[in-house]
Amino acid sequence: MRKLLSSLILVCAAMSIQAQKYRIPVSEVHEQMQTGQYEPTWQSLETHQTPEWFRDAKFGIWAHWGPQCVEGSGDWMAREMYMEGNGKYKYHVEHYGHPSEFGFKDILPLFKAEKWNPEALLEKYKRCGAQYFFALGNHHDNYDLWDSKYQPWNSKNIGSKRDVLDEWAKAAKKVGLPLGISFHADHAWTWYEPSQRYDLNGPKAGVYYDGNMTKEDGKGKWWEGLDPQMLYQQRHPMSKGSWDNSAIHSQWGWENGACPPSLEFVTNFYDRTLDAINRYNPDLIYFDVTVLPFYPISDCGLRIAAHMYNKNPRGIVFGKILSDEQRKALTWDVERGAPNEIIPEPWQTCNCIGGWHYNTSTYEKGRYKSAATVVKQLVDIVSKNGNLLLSIPLRADGTYDEKEAAILDDLEAWMTVNGESIFGTRPWIRFGEGPVAEKDIKINAQGFNDGQFANMDWRDIRFNQTKKHLYVTAMGWPKDGKLVIKSLAKGSKDFKRSISNVILLGYGKLKVQQTAEGLVVNLPQPCNKIAPVLKIQK
């Protein structure tokens, strides 16, 4: 009897701890997690291994594209248009009207995607070397880019009148690329809080923005019958320090005074995410969060991950700012940056050639990353057991501009010749040598250190390998053509076979000399615009 009583006490204690840990347990009244091998616990999820196809893929392209591209003022415009005095606020007021009268909801019908051709885009991305493709499912603006069952503010109802995810999915399948979907709407709750504000100065001082509007306010308007609160989700108190525009960054993990989300909001995000997974069968899903959606206050994210793994055993779920234990359950994503060491588990950098959403200023001022910068970052990431997911910003009409087209053409040219040194490779004993390789470069929060890798040149050398070959890439062409690879010096304990010749991809065989200082390679005139790749028999 005492043993039975003790067991009951332990069970109740465990249930109490679990309830305290997830104080907003998701409801499954609409969508149920698929059951199977994986349960919504870290112990169960860590038995899932990142599949080999992803380790072989190395490079994906992302269409981080939605209605925030309409104004061309850049990322987070749906938040910053409600920040009085902000550049995006000023642009919106000048071109569209005051946010008390013309808010982000009124931008949505202008997202028409009139020139969007997903098949042509996917064909081009594949020629550039993409081995998987990502589409935006929703952003922090809380607008679903599919015929959503649980969010009437969606692309089928408003704007393009098209099921964007469905068309992306069909195009990806046609060209044979695995599909990824990114979901960001879990943070709309706090992200849209500026829409509750009002101007402090000027003729509209004290007039509330449209984030406070309700369904009743729509009578006689184009959006009659729709509830703006399904979009803005602002029927709640502001978070601590919400009028401080930067406070949201310290509250991203639902800490430091962030207003806790309601069970209804958490469940709605859960339902929408499972709806998209069940309809479009992605191979990868991405969340712009700390660890998982609503973690650690809800089990929502754990249930989504378990659902994904049970539905697609070769599937991948990405997470940011992960502990070593959490990296066993999820695939680590680093935003705009990279570690400066080989990571044992496969991981990914997500980056962009410009801003996440299309920015006309980036185009006009020529501030895109060059193809050379993209390739060098890709080579560096691959040498450390990572993949690169690269966003190519699209305009609201669904096209990229001519400067982006030139970058893609240069990328395609380099990949066509040198892709064998990227795809299907694994890290060597060391990832590289040179000034940047030797620097102590730290990750900043979820990443944000790519500037530390921006100035790599021919002195920076990276390695990766297949079973038969070692690939050596210099991050540029030395002016005098002389390249010395210290890690392959005569008598190297890491590469014991003597080397008398190597192949320069895109050119042919080169005679080399192995000395005590390193492998000395005299390169010909550059045979590509970006970086030489040497292929060495193992």
Side-chain angles (χ1 to χ4, degrees):
M1 184 69 180
R2 285 183 180 179
K3 288 183 178 179
L4 177 60
L5 183 59
S6 298
S7 298
L8 288 171
I9 290 171
L10 288 172
V11 169
C12 290
M15 291 174 65
S16 176
I17 290 169
Q18 186 72 359
Q20 290 175 6
K21 185 176 181 182
Y22 305 121
R23 65 179 187 268
I24 311 175
V26 72
S27 168
E28 294 194 303
V29 66
H30 301 298
E31 297 287 336
Q32 287 78 47
M33 181 192 82
Q34 181 160 319
T35 57
Q37 178 180 350
Y38 300 100
E39 298 177 356
T41 66
W42 291 112
Q43 293 79 7
S44 177
L45 295 177
E46 71 180 22
T47 63
H48 181 270
Q49 300 294 311
T50 302
E52 287 297 299
W53 76 261
F54 179 75
R55 298 191 72 191
D56 290 338
K58 304 303 181 189
F59 181 56
I61 287 182
W62 190 3
H64 194 284
W65 177 60
Q68 287 184 80
C69 300
V70 167
E71 296 192 15
S73 58
D75 200 35
W76 282 34
M77 65 75 51
R79 172 179 165 86
E80 295 181 24
M81 63 165 280
Y82 295 105
M83 295 178 180
E84 183 183 10
N86 182 283
K88 294 181 177 68
Y89 167 94
K90 292 177 180 177
Y91 184 90
H92 180 83
V93 170
E94 180 182 351
H95 292 86
Y96 297 91
H98 192 265
S100 64
E101 301 165 349
F102 196 103
F104 185 68
K105 70 181 186 314
D106 302 292
I107 291 293
L108 299 179
L110 306 180
F111 177 61
K112 297 186 180 299
E114 60 270 29
K115 297 180 181 178
W116 177 51
N117 184 336
E119 288 188 14
L121 289 169
L122 267 293
E123 287 169 0
K124 177 62 175 179
Y125 296 159
K126 187 169 184 179
R127 291 197 301 273
C128 291
Q131 303 293 298
Y132 55 102
F133 169 74
F134 253 93
L136 193 69
N138 49 43
H139 199 250
H140 311 314
D141 59 28
N142 212 25
Y143 171 87
D144 284 352
L145 286 148
W146 74 94
D147 186 15
S148 179
K149 289 168 60 177
Y150 302 101
Q151 173 56 296
W153 297 86
N154 68 63
S155 63
K156 186 68 173 177
N157 288 343
I158 305 165
S160 67
K161 304 290 186 178
R162 297 166 73 172
D163 187 326
V164 172
L165 275 189
D166 182 60
E167 293 189 48
W168 278 131
K170 287 175 179 174
K173 184 176 182 179
K174 185 173 181 180
V175 300
L177 292 181
L179 174 70
I181 305 175
S182 66
F183 302 96
H184 310 239
D186 55 305
H187 271 89
W189 184 267
T190 52
W191 192 81
Y192 262 135
E193 283 184 10
S195 70
Q196 292 192 46
R197 298 181 191 173
Y198 47 82
D199 283 0
L200 298 174
N201 304 289
K204 296 283 188 180
V207 179
Y208 281 98
Y209 302 149
D210 73 327
N212 294 286
M213 287 185 173
T214 64
K215 188 174 181 178
E216 289 70 31
D217 295 310
K219 189 173 182 180
K221 307 286 181 61
W222 73 264
W223 48 275
E224 184 172 358
L226 290 168
D227 185 358
Q229 290 309 312
M230 283 294 292
L231 182 69
Y232 297 130
Q233 293 290 344
Q234 291 307 301
R235 279 296 185 236
H236 63 79
M238 284 185 168
S239 300
K240 181 180 178 181
S242 183
W243 280 76
D244 175 358
N245 294 334
S246 63
I248 191 172
H249 300 292
S250 66
Q251 298 169 339
W252 204 247
W254 303 100
E255 71 273 60
N256 297 323
C259 179
S262 67
L263 173 60
E264 182 182 18
F265 178 72
V266 171
T267 299
N268 179 256
F269 177 82
Y270 176 80
D271 289 340
R272 289 154 66 187
T273 306
L274 262 61
D275 175 40
I277 292 171
N278 292 340
R279 288 196 199 194
Y280 308 113
N281 299 305
D283 295 290
L284 317 95
I285 57 174
Y286 167 108
F287 301 110
D288 191 6
V289 300
T290 301
V291 187
L292 281 170
F294 304 108
Y295 188 81
I297 62 175
S298 176
D299 60 348
C300 173
L302 288 167
R303 287 188 171 277
I304 293 171
H307 179 85
M308 178 69 177
Y309 291 161
N310 284 327
K311 186 172 177 60
N312 184 354
R314 71 193 291 272
I316 296 163
V317 179
F318 293 101
K320 299 179 181 181
I321 314 182
L322 305 178
S323 68
D324 290 342
E325 290 303 307
Q326 290 164 344
R327 288 189 204 176
K328 296 176 183 177
L330 307 172
T331 302
W332 183 36
D333 181 85
V334 181
E335 182 175 351
R336 291 190 182 271
N340 210 25
E341 61 182 337
I342 296 174
I343 302 299
E345 302 90 4
W347 59 280
Q348 174 181 267
T349 286
C350 61
N351 213 324
C352 186
I353 64 170
W356 289 117
H357 280 103
Y358 191 84
N359 192 323
T360 305
S361 176
T362 302
Y363 163 75
E364 291 173 345
K365 296 179 180 179
R367 291 179 175 170
Y368 290 126
K369 287 183 176 73
S370 66
T373 297
V374 170
V375 166
K376 291 174 188 180
Q377 291 188 347
L378 172 64
V379 171
D380 177 71
I381 288 162
V382 168
S383 74
K384 301 167 185 173
N385 203 29
N387 288 26
L388 173 63
L389 175 61
L390 182 70
S391 173
I392 308 295
L394 297 176
R395 293 175 288 205
D397 66 5
T399 63
Y400 48 75
D401 61 54
E402 78 278 4
K403 293 180 182 178
E404 293 176 291
I407 294 166
L408 288 172
D409 287 345
D410 288 346
L411 185 60
E412 180 181 352
W414 191 89
M415 285 288 206
T416 299
V417 174
N418 299 288
E420 69 171 87
S421 70
I422 300 293
F423 310 119
T425 63
R426 297 292 182 269
W428 189 47
I429 295 166
R430 62 183 66 186
F431 73 86
E433 65 182 52
V436 174
E438 295 162 9
K439 289 173 66 177
D440 183 18
I441 298 175
K442 304 295 186 185
I443 295 285
N444 179 18
Q446 64 260 48
F448 298 114
N449 66 355
D450 64 345
Q452 299 277 350
F453 299 95
N455 297 314
M456 293 184 288
D457 60 27
W458 61 270
R459 297 170 299 169
D460 283 291
I461 295 169
R462 296 294 179 267
F463 306 100
N464 52 353
Q465 63 178 338
T466 60
K467 290 181 179 180
K468 294 183 178 180
H469 298 103
L470 176 68
Y471 292 94
V472 182
T473 304
M475 302 298 203
W477 294 82
K479 289 183 179 180
D480 63 0
K482 184 178 180 181
L483 190 65
V484 180
I485 305 163
K486 297 177 183 178
S487 300
L488 298 179
K490 191 173 184 178
S492 169
K493 61 182 178 59
D494 296 329
F495 196 91
K496 297 179 180 179
R497 195 178 74 81
S498 62
I499 306 170
S500 58
N501 58 64
V502 302
I503 293 173
L504 173 63
L505 296 185
Y507 179 84
K509 191 174 289 187
L510 300 176
K511 292 289 185 181
V512 298
Q513 185 179 8
Q514 205 170 15
T515 70
E517 293 183 358
L519 183 68
V520 180
V521 183
N522 291 304
L523 295 169
Q525 289 295 312
C527 56
N528 66 62
K529 296 179 181 180
I530 297 174
V533 182
L534 303 176
K535 180 179 180 180
I536 302 173
Q537 187 78 31
K538 287 169 66 177

